[in-house]
mmCIF file of all heavy atoms in Angstrom:
data_model
loop_
_atom_site.group_PDB
_atom_site.id
_atom_site.type_symbol
_atom_site.label_atom_id
_atom_site.label_comp_id
_atom_site.label_asym_id
_atom_site.label_seq_id
_atom_site.Cartn_x
_atom_site.Cartn_y
_atom_site.Cartn_z
ATOM 1 N N MET A 1 -5.416 -45.500 8.910
ATOM 2 C CA MET A 1 -5.285 -46.689 9.788
ATOM 3 C C MET A 1 -5.491 -46.435 11.193
ATOM 4 O O MET A 1 -5.933 -47.272 11.996
ATOM 5 C CB MET A 1 -3.844 -47.208 9.644
ATOM 6 C CG MET A 1 -3.509 -47.685 8.276
ATOM 7 S SD MET A 1 -3.036 -49.370 8.284
ATOM 8 C CE MET A 1 -1.855 -49.517 9.372
ATOM 9 N N LEU A 2 -5.126 -45.215 11.637
ATOM 10 C CA LEU A 2 -5.363 -44.942 13.064
ATOM 11 C C LEU A 2 -6.615 -44.183 13.307
ATOM 12 O O LEU A 2 -6.856 -43.182 12.639
ATOM 13 C CB LEU A 2 -4.126 -44.005 13.481
ATOM 14 C CG LEU A 2 -2.919 -44.794 13.914
ATOM 15 C CD1 LEU A 2 -2.059 -43.918 14.784
ATOM 16 C CD2 LEU A 2 -3.410 -45.926 14.735
ATOM 17 N N PHE A 5 -5.235 -41.821 18.884
ATOM 18 C CA PHE A 5 -3.850 -42.033 19.487
ATOM 19 C C PHE A 5 -3.836 -41.822 20.931
ATOM 20 O O PHE A 5 -3.646 -40.742 21.311
ATOM 21 C CB PHE A 5 -2.912 -41.047 18.712
ATOM 22 C CG PHE A 5 -2.917 -41.114 17.204
ATOM 23 C CD1 PHE A 5 -3.672 -40.199 16.462
ATOM 24 C CD2 PHE A 5 -2.226 -42.163 16.602
ATOM 25 C CE1 PHE A 5 -3.682 -40.300 15.049
ATOM 26 C CE2 PHE A 5 -2.344 -42.209 15.214
ATOM 27 C CZ PHE A 5 -3.034 -41.229 14.444
ATOM 28 N N PHE A 43 11.346 -26.312 8.439
ATOM 29 C CA PHE A 43 11.304 -27.565 7.716
ATOM 30 C C PHE A 43 11.164 -27.183 6.266
ATOM 31 O O PHE A 43 10.527 -26.206 5.885
ATOM 32 C CB PHE A 43 9.972 -28.278 8.127
ATOM 33 C CG PHE A 43 10.044 -29.805 8.194
ATOM 34 C CD1 PHE A 43 9.081 -30.523 8.814
ATOM 35 C CD2 PHE A 43 11.217 -30.507 7.790
ATOM 36 C CE1 PHE A 43 9.136 -31.939 8.934
ATOM 37 C CE2 PHE A 43 11.250 -31.845 7.842
ATOM 38 C CZ PHE A 43 10.242 -32.591 8.467
ATOM 39 N N HIS A 45 10.213 -28.942 2.559
ATOM 40 C CA HIS A 45 9.914 -30.121 1.749
ATOM 41 C C HIS A 45 10.036 -29.775 0.233
ATOM 42 O O HIS A 45 9.272 -28.975 -0.222
ATOM 43 C CB HIS A 45 8.492 -30.601 2.083
ATOM 44 C CG HIS A 45 8.343 -31.485 3.199
ATOM 45 N ND1 HIS A 45 8.502 -31.055 4.479
ATOM 46 C CD2 HIS A 45 8.090 -32.870 3.291
ATOM 47 C CE1 HIS A 45 8.409 -32.096 5.331
ATOM 48 N NE2 HIS A 45 8.170 -33.132 4.592
ATOM 49 N N GLU A 64 3.574 -33.896 -1.644
ATOM 50 C CA GLU A 64 4.805 -34.691 -1.844
ATOM 51 C C GLU A 64 4.445 -36.271 -1.930
ATOM 52 O O GLU A 64 5.399 -36.991 -2.198
ATOM 53 C CB GLU A 64 5.681 -34.413 -0.545
ATOM 54 C CG GLU A 64 5.257 -35.006 0.776
ATOM 55 C CD GLU A 64 3.991 -34.344 1.283
ATOM 56 O OE1 GLU A 64 3.509 -33.333 0.849
ATOM 57 O OE2 GLU A 64 3.500 -34.821 2.301
ATOM 58 N N TRP A 65 3.270 -36.605 -1.648
ATOM 59 C CA TRP A 65 2.846 -38.034 -1.839
ATOM 60 C C TRP A 65 2.366 -38.325 -3.211
ATOM 61 O O TRP A 65 1.783 -39.403 -3.482
ATOM 62 C CB TRP A 65 1.703 -38.340 -0.826
ATOM 63 C CG TRP A 65 2.191 -38.820 0.590
ATOM 64 C CD1 TRP A 65 2.893 -37.996 1.425
ATOM 65 C CD2 TRP A 65 2.109 -40.085 1.107
ATOM 66 N NE1 TRP A 65 3.257 -38.733 2.565
ATOM 67 C CE2 TRP A 65 2.685 -39.996 2.521
ATOM 68 C CE3 TRP A 65 1.510 -41.261 0.743
ATOM 69 C CZ2 TRP A 65 2.778 -41.140 3.292
ATOM 70 C CZ3 TRP A 65 1.553 -42.425 1.596
ATOM 71 C CH2 TRP A 65 2.227 -42.310 2.853
ATOM 72 N N THR A 109 14.457 -31.951 3.249
ATOM 73 C CA THR A 109 14.239 -33.316 2.741
ATOM 74 C C THR A 109 15.440 -33.631 1.810
ATOM 75 O O THR A 109 15.481 -33.127 0.648
ATOM 76 C CB THR A 109 12.938 -33.475 1.876
ATOM 77 O OG1 THR A 109 12.961 -32.346 0.989
ATOM 78 C CG2 THR A 109 11.760 -33.473 2.793
ATOM 79 N N HIS A 112 12.676 -37.662 0.049
ATOM 80 C CA HIS A 112 11.419 -38.012 0.584
ATOM 81 C C HIS A 112 10.995 -39.370 0.170
ATOM 82 O O HIS A 112 11.824 -40.177 -0.340
ATOM 83 C CB HIS A 112 10.365 -36.945 0.180
ATOM 84 C CG HIS A 112 9.158 -36.878 1.067
ATOM 85 N ND1 HIS A 112 8.029 -37.456 0.883
ATOM 86 C CD2 HIS A 112 9.102 -36.282 2.267
ATOM 87 C CE1 HIS A 112 7.281 -37.296 1.885
ATOM 88 N NE2 HIS A 112 7.947 -36.520 2.828
ATOM 89 N N HIS A 113 9.692 -39.763 0.423
ATOM 90 C CA HIS A 113 9.260 -41.141 0.163
ATOM 91 C C HIS A 113 9.463 -41.570 -1.301
ATOM 92 O O HIS A 113 9.576 -42.656 -1.568
ATOM 93 C CB HIS A 113 7.766 -41.298 0.567
ATOM 94 C CG HIS A 113 7.419 -40.851 1.966
ATOM 95 N ND1 HIS A 113 8.321 -40.887 3.047
ATOM 96 C CD2 HIS A 113 6.287 -40.416 2.531
ATOM 97 C CE1 HIS A 113 7.748 -40.435 4.044
ATOM 98 N NE2 HIS A 113 6.476 -40.121 3.811
ATOM 99 N N TYR A 155 16.317 -34.172 6.824
ATOM 100 C CA TYR A 155 15.195 -35.165 6.812
ATOM 101 C C TYR A 155 15.602 -36.246 5.776
ATOM 102 O O TYR A 155 16.134 -35.964 4.740
ATOM 103 C CB TYR A 155 14.008 -34.459 6.314
ATOM 104 C CG TYR A 155 12.813 -35.327 6.022
ATOM 105 C CD1 TYR A 155 11.642 -35.396 6.889
ATOM 106 C CD2 TYR A 155 12.752 -36.103 4.840
ATOM 107 C CE1 TYR A 155 10.492 -36.169 6.490
ATOM 108 C CE2 TYR A 155 11.677 -36.917 4.493
ATOM 109 C CZ TYR A 155 10.582 -36.979 5.365
ATOM 110 O OH TYR A 155 9.509 -37.726 5.088
ATOM 111 N N MET A 159 11.145 -45.025 4.145
ATOM 112 C CA MET A 159 10.187 -45.547 3.149
ATOM 113 C C MET A 159 10.741 -44.988 1.753
ATOM 114 O O MET A 159 11.126 -43.824 1.632
ATOM 115 C CB MET A 159 8.743 -45.104 3.344
ATOM 116 C CG MET A 159 7.810 -45.563 2.301
ATOM 117 S SD MET A 159 6.086 -45.529 2.885
ATOM 118 C CE MET A 159 5.808 -43.766 2.862
ATOM 119 N N TRP A 209 16.571 -36.449 10.783
ATOM 120 C CA TRP A 209 15.118 -36.475 11.026
ATOM 121 C C TRP A 209 14.583 -37.496 10.027
ATOM 122 O O TRP A 209 14.339 -37.319 8.743
ATOM 123 C CB TRP A 209 14.564 -35.128 10.592
ATOM 124 C CG TRP A 209 13.289 -34.673 11.394
ATOM 125 C CD1 TRP A 209 13.290 -33.647 12.270
ATOM 126 C CD2 TRP A 209 11.958 -35.123 11.194
ATOM 127 N NE1 TRP A 209 11.986 -33.481 12.694
ATOM 128 C CE2 TRP A 209 11.074 -34.326 12.107
ATOM 129 C CE3 TRP A 209 11.339 -36.091 10.337
ATOM 130 C CZ2 TRP A 209 9.755 -34.469 12.095
ATOM 131 C CZ3 TRP A 209 9.988 -36.177 10.492
ATOM 132 C CH2 TRP A 209 9.218 -35.420 11.352
ATOM 133 N N ASP A 211 11.758 -40.619 8.781
ATOM 134 C CA ASP A 211 10.372 -40.586 8.577
ATOM 135 C C ASP A 211 10.004 -41.894 7.691
ATOM 136 O O ASP A 211 10.905 -42.456 7.061
ATOM 137 C CB ASP A 211 9.870 -39.313 7.779
ATOM 138 C CG ASP A 211 8.494 -39.076 7.940
ATOM 139 O OD1 ASP A 211 7.700 -39.778 8.718
ATOM 140 O OD2 ASP A 211 7.923 -38.167 7.244
ATOM 141 N N GLY A 212 8.722 -42.240 7.720
ATOM 142 C CA GLY A 212 8.345 -43.442 6.930
ATOM 143 C C GLY A 212 8.701 -44.722 7.548
ATOM 144 O O GLY A 212 8.908 -45.744 6.888
ATOM 145 N N GLU A 213 8.874 -44.739 8.834
ATOM 146 C CA GLU A 213 9.295 -45.843 9.572
ATOM 147 C C GLU A 213 8.194 -46.804 9.909
ATOM 148 O O GLU A 213 8.430 -47.920 10.456
ATOM 149 C CB GLU A 213 9.966 -45.364 10.913
ATOM 150 C CG GLU A 213 9.067 -45.166 12.131
ATOM 151 C CD GLU A 213 8.016 -44.052 11.909
ATOM 152 O OE1 GLU A 213 8.078 -43.321 10.933
ATOM 153 O OE2 GLU A 213 7.136 -43.996 12.764
ATOM 154 N N TRP A 214 6.946 -46.528 9.608
ATOM 155 C CA TRP A 214 5.828 -47.259 10.094
ATOM 156 C C TRP A 214 5.567 -48.520 9.288
ATOM 157 O O TRP A 214 4.777 -49.370 9.710
ATOM 158 C CB TRP A 214 4.589 -46.415 10.144
ATOM 159 C CG TRP A 214 4.186 -45.824 8.778
ATOM 160 C CD1 TRP A 214 3.449 -46.453 7.802
ATOM 161 C CD2 TRP A 214 4.513 -44.571 8.291
ATOM 162 N NE1 TRP A 214 3.289 -45.659 6.731
ATOM 163 C CE2 TRP A 214 3.910 -44.510 6.972
ATOM 164 C CE3 TRP A 214 5.144 -43.431 8.823
ATOM 165 C CZ2 TRP A 214 4.015 -43.277 6.187
ATOM 166 C CZ3 TRP A 214 5.234 -42.294 8.040
ATOM 167 C CH2 TRP A 214 4.735 -42.253 6.717
ATOM 168 N N GLU A 215 6.102 -48.622 8.124
ATOM 169 C CA GLU A 215 5.882 -49.849 7.342
ATOM 170 C C GLU A 215 6.358 -51.091 8.042
ATOM 171 O O GLU A 215 7.402 -51.075 8.721
ATOM 172 C CB GLU A 215 6.322 -49.646 5.898
ATOM 173 C CG GLU A 215 5.619 -48.511 5.194
ATOM 174 C CD GLU A 215 5.422 -48.750 3.731
ATOM 175 O OE1 GLU A 215 6.487 -48.818 2.996
ATOM 176 O OE2 GLU A 215 4.359 -48.910 3.307
ATOM 177 N N ARG A 242 11.615 -41.218 14.881
ATOM 178 C CA ARG A 242 11.083 -42.059 13.713
ATOM 179 C C ARG A 242 12.213 -42.924 13.167
ATOM 180 O O ARG A 242 11.933 -43.607 12.198
ATOM 181 C CB ARG A 242 10.474 -41.173 12.723
ATOM 182 C CG ARG A 242 9.371 -40.323 13.211
ATOM 183 C CD ARG A 242 8.577 -39.626 12.167
ATOM 184 N NE ARG A 242 7.607 -38.658 12.841
ATOM 185 C CZ ARG A 242 6.732 -37.928 12.156
ATOM 186 N NH1 ARG A 242 6.677 -37.994 10.798
ATOM 187 N NH2 ARG A 242 5.862 -37.161 12.745
ATOM 188 N N ARG A 247 7.290 -44.585 17.786
ATOM 189 C CA ARG A 247 6.370 -43.470 17.718
ATOM 190 C C ARG A 247 4.861 -43.880 17.843
ATOM 191 O O ARG A 247 4.398 -44.715 17.020
ATOM 192 C CB ARG A 247 6.541 -42.713 16.366
ATOM 193 C CG ARG A 247 5.426 -41.895 15.884
ATOM 194 C CD ARG A 247 5.822 -40.877 14.833
ATOM 195 N NE ARG A 247 5.825 -41.456 13.525
ATOM 196 C CZ ARG A 247 5.036 -41.010 12.565
ATOM 197 N NH1 ARG A 247 4.271 -40.023 12.705
ATOM 198 N NH2 ARG A 247 5.245 -41.537 11.315
ATOM 199 N N GLY A 248 4.140 -43.248 18.739
ATOM 200 C CA GLY A 248 2.696 -43.645 18.910
ATOM 201 C C GLY A 248 1.854 -42.863 18.004
ATOM 202 O O GLY A 248 1.162 -41.981 18.435
ATOM 203 N N GLY A 249 1.889 -43.134 16.685
ATOM 204 C CA GLY A 249 0.943 -42.454 15.787
ATOM 205 C C GLY A 249 1.416 -40.929 15.630
ATOM 206 O O GLY A 249 2.514 -40.583 15.975
ATOM 207 N N MET A 250 0.418 -40.110 15.113
ATOM 208 C CA MET A 250 0.736 -38.737 14.860
ATOM 209 C C MET A 250 1.029 -37.937 16.221
ATOM 210 O O MET A 250 1.520 -36.819 16.144
ATOM 211 C CB MET A 250 -0.332 -38.057 14.110
ATOM 212 C CG MET A 250 -0.636 -38.819 12.823
ATOM 213 S SD MET A 250 0.749 -38.676 11.670
ATOM 214 C CE MET A 250 0.168 -37.455 10.501
ATOM 215 N N GLY A 251 0.626 -38.501 17.346
ATOM 216 C CA GLY A 251 0.986 -37.843 18.588
ATOM 217 C C GLY A 251 2.494 -37.848 18.821
ATOM 218 O O GLY A 251 2.955 -36.907 19.467
ATOM 219 N N GLU A 266 3.129 -34.627 14.841
ATOM 220 C CA GLU A 266 3.025 -34.065 13.466
ATOM 221 C C GLU A 266 1.594 -33.409 13.322
ATOM 222 O O GLU A 266 0.601 -34.004 13.530
ATOM 223 C CB GLU A 266 3.139 -35.231 12.408
ATOM 224 C CG GLU A 266 2.984 -34.711 10.993
ATOM 225 C CD GLU A 266 3.483 -35.825 9.945
ATOM 226 O OE1 GLU A 266 4.466 -36.523 10.294
ATOM 227 O OE2 GLU A 266 2.827 -35.880 8.860
ATOM 228 N N CYS A 282 6.055 -30.575 14.300
ATOM 229 C CA CYS A 282 6.203 -30.153 12.910
ATOM 230 C C CYS A 282 4.940 -29.869 12.347
ATOM 231 O O CYS A 282 3.863 -30.608 12.642
ATOM 232 C CB CYS A 282 7.040 -31.207 12.153
ATOM 233 S SG CYS A 282 6.289 -32.838 11.891
ATOM 234 N N TRP A 289 2.737 -30.278 2.776
ATOM 235 C CA TRP A 289 4.163 -30.156 2.956
ATOM 236 C C TRP A 289 4.889 -29.786 1.665
ATOM 237 O O TRP A 289 5.636 -28.747 1.663
ATOM 238 C CB TRP A 289 4.762 -31.542 3.560
ATOM 239 C CG TRP A 289 4.117 -31.974 4.821
ATOM 240 C CD1 TRP A 289 3.134 -32.831 4.996
ATOM 241 C CD2 TRP A 289 4.459 -31.537 6.183
ATOM 242 N NE1 TRP A 289 2.794 -32.988 6.276
ATOM 243 C CE2 TRP A 289 3.752 -32.211 7.097
ATOM 244 C CE3 TRP A 289 5.528 -30.678 6.621
ATOM 245 C CZ2 TRP A 289 3.745 -32.040 8.452
ATOM 246 C CZ3 TRP A 289 5.611 -30.587 8.016
ATOM 247 C CH2 TRP A 289 4.741 -31.243 8.964
ATOM 248 N N GLY A 290 4.705 -30.529 0.659
ATOM 249 C CA GLY A 290 5.269 -30.197 -0.611
ATOM 250 C C GLY A 290 4.470 -29.082 -1.213
ATOM 251 O O GLY A 290 3.309 -28.864 -0.916
ATOM 252 N N HIS A 630 -4.431 -49.278 14.771
ATOM 253 C CA HIS A 630 -3.289 -48.350 15.157
ATOM 254 C C HIS A 630 -1.946 -48.923 14.838
ATOM 255 O O HIS A 630 -1.802 -50.164 14.800
ATOM 256 C CB HIS A 630 -3.487 -47.885 16.587
ATOM 257 C CG HIS A 630 -3.653 -48.899 17.700
ATOM 258 N ND1 HIS A 630 -2.492 -49.717 17.960
ATOM 259 C CD2 HIS A 630 -4.667 -49.413 18.391
ATOM 260 C CE1 HIS A 630 -2.899 -50.535 18.932
ATOM 261 N NE2 HIS A 630 -4.151 -50.301 19.203
ATOM 262 N N SER A 631 -0.950 -48.078 14.855
ATOM 263 C CA SER A 631 0.396 -48.474 14.713
ATOM 264 C C SER A 631 0.866 -49.010 16.090
ATOM 265 O O SER A 631 0.071 -48.866 17.064
ATOM 266 C CB SER A 631 1.283 -47.440 14.180
ATOM 267 O OG SER A 631 1.176 -46.361 14.973
ATOM 268 N N ALA A 632 2.112 -49.383 16.298
ATOM 269 C CA ALA A 632 2.486 -49.892 17.581
ATOM 270 C C ALA A 632 2.333 -48.885 18.653
ATOM 271 O O ALA A 632 2.724 -47.793 18.725
ATOM 272 C CB ALA A 632 4.045 -50.222 17.520
HETATM 273 O O1 H79 B 701 7.055 -35.511 5.250
HETATM 274 C C1 H79 B 701 5.747 -35.077 5.697
HETATM 275 C C2 H79 B 701 4.743 -36.076 5.315
HETATM 276 O O2 H79 B 701 4.870 -36.359 3.904
HETATM 277 C C3 H79 B 701 5.075 -37.320 6.086
HETATM 278 N N1 H79 B 701 5.601 -36.765 7.360
HETATM 279 C C4 H79 B 701 5.551 -35.351 7.209
HETATM 280 C C5 H79 B 701 6.724 -34.752 8.035
HETATM 281 C C6 H79 B 701 3.911 -38.123 6.227
HETATM 282 N N2 H79 B 701 3.906 -39.241 5.752
HETATM 283 N N3 H79 B 701 2.694 -39.875 5.919
HETATM 284 N N4 H79 B 701 2.079 -39.079 6.692
HETATM 285 C C7 H79 B 701 2.724 -37.949 6.836
HETATM 286 C C8 H79 B 701 0.751 -39.369 7.158
HETATM 287 C C9 H79 B 701 0.642 -40.808 7.393
HETATM 288 C C10 H79 B 701 0.094 -41.366 8.368
HETATM 289 C C11 H79 B 701 -0.033 -42.700 8.584
HETATM 290 FE FE1 H79 B 701 0.520 -43.706 10.192
HETATM 291 C C12 H79 B 701 1.005 -43.725 8.256
HETATM 292 C C13 H79 B 701 -1.083 -43.471 9.064
HETATM 293 C C14 H79 B 701 -0.822 -44.771 9.088
HETATM 294 C C15 H79 B 701 0.495 -45.018 8.582
HETATM 295 C C16 H79 B 701 1.883 -42.752 11.210
HETATM 296 C C17 H79 B 701 2.166 -44.094 11.293
HETATM 297 C C18 H79 B 701 0.565 -42.468 11.728
HETATM 298 C C19 H79 B 701 0.150 -43.755 12.128
HETATM 299 C C20 H79 B 701 1.055 -44.699 11.928
#
Side-chain angles (χ1 to χ4, degrees):
M1 294 236 311
L2 272 200
F5 304 101
F43 216 168
H45 275 72
E64 77 287 352
W65 273 67
T109 49
H112 203 263
H113 308 331
Y155 169 106
M159 177 160 74
W209 212 108
D211 198 9
E213 84 297 350
W214 59 82
E215 294 212 293
R242 299 190 188 184
R247 159 163 82 120
M250 302 297 258
E266 178 168 326
C282 58
W289 298 96
H630 52 72
S631 58

